[in-house]
Amino acid sequence: FSFKILLFLFSPLSNLAYITLNGPYVILGVGMAVLVLVFLFYFLITRGNPPKDVLFFVFAVFCFTCVIDLISALQQDGVVSGFMEFYEKTGEPYLGSAYAIMMCYWDGIVHFVMYLMMISRITDRKSYRTMGLFWAGSLCANMSVFIVGIVAGKYGLEIRPAFWINFVFLLLPVWATITLFIRAKDRPLIGGYNAHHVQTMNLIWRPQDLMLVLLLLAAMAFTLLRGLVALGSPLEACSVYLEQYEPYLSDPVGFPKVMMLHILFYGLPLLGSFVYGLLKPGCTWMPDWTMFFSGALIQCQWAHIGASLHSRTLAPFRIPGDSLCCVLMANVLYALVPILVALRVNSNPYFFLKIAPFPGQTGLPNSEEKDTKYKDK
């Protein structure tokens, strides 16, 4: 996305290069050069007090590109003008689609705020792991749907050299995700008496978890339905849903179909695993994966809902007026389900901790059992 800075930083240079050389390839080269220059700028100004976390530089560079994405979205909606026309024609014409506009709004506002918060915590030497996982899920889902949607949809015949820079913004978040997952957790993994008491309670005595299990099962059914619609299933329920509720799933831009398939093949197993985690005590992976998936799904739902209502989407593919409230409520609730699960898991994690053996309990090491017996005598 950093190519877009050419429009207001290097516009004269880009126009001249387009006339004298091969414009699209020059934009690719200049875009890469600008990324390197931005990185070198942050590297040089922090030489006196270098950050301990290398992700600082990733967040700093991405902050720069967030501003460009926001400008792109604002220009597409007519709020500003004169910044992005040349780049969109020569570099990335699919940025004018409704999905790309909503994606740029999310990146320019939500991601930008998260970058500033995470940079601040790095500077103060505080942990940001939980927020980082939410960001990682959001950006990984964002870029994976965006890249595959470009190739699979109607814009597949309009791919220019500038398209390849998007892989930088996919590979870096994937690397950051792996880094955050293997990093030491900022919460305990082993519980004591409180965790033992909570984990002995059946689901019927945990009404909050019972409600979340029911919501997760409903979300799984909704995911399966929309995935089958995206696959073109001839089932009557799929045909009715496509015609009367979300015709945007058949939009030739490709983004909605790719998103539904992403959620079907990756999100559906995760939703099922969350049900298992709420039923089986001691699943220490629940806090991390619920946070990661909640970031991914809310970003997808924001772009999906916004694009299905945006004026850039052709009228036959927008949500019909008589089913607007129903579809919006279903999509908003669908986006909130993983967030509710993540909030529950992270706010009261006793059920998801390993239980430390108590004195006299079987499973203690031999030396501890001998010490306990000696003390009893």
Side-chain angles (χ1 to χ4, degrees):
F1 291 156
S2 63
F3 291 153
K4 305 157 199 174
I5 58 178
L6 299 174
L7 271 300
F8 66 96
L9 289 181
F10 296 97
S11 181
L13 177 61
S14 300
N15 281 283
L16 178 62
Y18 182 75
I19 296 173
T20 58
L21 302 172
N22 191 347
Y25 288 99
V26 172
I27 290 181
L28 174 62
V30 175
M32 293 296 296
V34 170
L35 272 182
V36 174
L37 289 175
V38 172
F39 167 76
L40 290 176
F41 170 77
Y42 288 116
F43 177 77
L44 292 175
I45 65 174
T46 58
R47 287 186 64 187
N49 185 21
K52 299 293 184 180
D53 195 333
V54 69
L55 290 179
F56 171 89
F57 297 105
V58 177
F59 300 150
V61 173
F62 282 13
C63 269
F64 184 74
T65 60
C66 282
V67 178
I68 312 305
D69 285 339
L70 183 59
I71 292 175
S72 173
L74 291 174
Q75 173 152 320
Q76 294 294 342
D77 283 339
V79 179
V80 298
S81 61
F83 291 97
M84 303 297 294
E85 291 90 347
F86 171 76
Y87 177 78
E88 288 168 4
K89 292 179 181 178
T90 310
E92 297 185 86
Y94 36 79
L95 290 177
S97 65
Y99 177 86
I101 294 172
M102 301 308 298
M103 180 193 71
C104 287
Y105 275 125
W106 184 267
D107 192 50
I109 299 174
V110 179
H111 286 165
F112 182 72
V113 172
M114 286 195 288
Y115 291 140
L116 295 180
M117 295 175 66
M118 290 188 290
I119 289 173
S120 175
R121 296 192 71 84
I122 292 175
T123 304
D124 296 337
R125 303 190 187 281
K126 297 180 180 178
S127 176
Y128 63 93
R129 188 173 181 275
T130 300
M131 183 186 301
L133 289 173
F134 185 90
W135 160 80
S138 175
L139 191 54
C140 286
N142 182 349
M143 293 308 303
S144 60
V145 172
F146 184 60
I147 291 175
V148 178
I150 293 170
V151 178
K154 71 175 186 180
Y155 291 103
L157 298 176
E158 300 183 48
I159 294 178
R160 315 287 170 76
F163 163 78
W164 299 104
I165 195 65
N166 290 297
F167 284 91
V168 175
F169 294 89
L170 174 63
L171 296 178
L172 282 178
V174 170
W175 168 72
T177 301
I178 297 173
T179 302
L180 291 169
F181 267 108
I182 64 178
R183 185 171 294 181
K185 298 184 178 181
D186 50 4
R187 64 177 70 90
L189 297 178
I190 300 177
Y193 290 98
N194 290 334
H196 177 73
H197 172 69
V198 172
Q199 293 185 12
T200 56
M201 300 172 62
N202 292 326
L203 183 64
I204 192 65
W205 301 113
R206 293 181 284 125
Q208 184 181 15
D209 291 351
L210 177 59
M211 181 61 67
L212 289 175
V213 167
L214 295 177
L215 288 174
L216 285 170
L217 293 175
M220 292 174 66
F222 192 53
T223 301
L224 182 60
L225 172 64
R226 297 205 297 182
L228 292 176
V229 171
L231 289 171
S233 172
L235 293 175
E236 183 179 358
C238 297
S239 302
V240 171
Y241 186 81
L242 180 63
E243 295 175 2
Q244 300 183 11
Y245 294 96
E246 289 199 69
Y248 179 61
L249 295 177
S250 61
D251 193 319
V253 293
F255 298 116
K257 181 177 295 186
V258 170
M259 181 187 296
M260 294 306 114
L261 295 180
H262 270 63
I263 299 175
L264 175 65
F265 294 119
Y266 300 109
L268 185 60
L270 280 175
L271 291 171
S273 67
F274 296 159
V275 174
Y276 173 82
L278 290 171
L279 298 176
K280 178 72 173 178
C283 295
T284 56
W285 48 266
M286 280 284 284
D288 290 347
W289 280 102
T290 53
M291 189 60 64
F292 179 84
F293 184 68
S294 61
L297 193 61
I298 193 172
Q299 191 282 331
C300 288
Q301 285 298 106
W302 161 267
H304 178 73
I305 296 172
S308 61
L309 299 173
H310 200 277
S311 59
R312 289 293 181 93
T313 298
L314 298 177
F317 300 109
R318 297 180 204 165
I319 301 175
D322 54 351
S323 59
L324 179 62
C325 293
C326 178
V327 172
L328 289 181
M329 289 179 60
N331 278 274
V332 171
L333 181 60
Y334 181 65
L336 290 177
V337 169
I339 296 178
L340 294 175
V341 176
L343 291 175
R344 181 264 177 272
V345 172
N346 287 274
S347 62
N348 188 10
Y350 288 124
F351 188 78
F352 311 98
L353 301 178
K354 295 293 184 182
I355 301 297
F358 303 120
Q361 185 178 359
T362 58
L364 285 170
N366 292 332
S367 59
E368 293 186 22
E369 289 181 353
K370 291 179 180 178
D371 292 343
T372 303
K373 292 179 182 178
Y374 178 77
K375 291 179 181 178
D376 291 343
K377 291 180 179 179

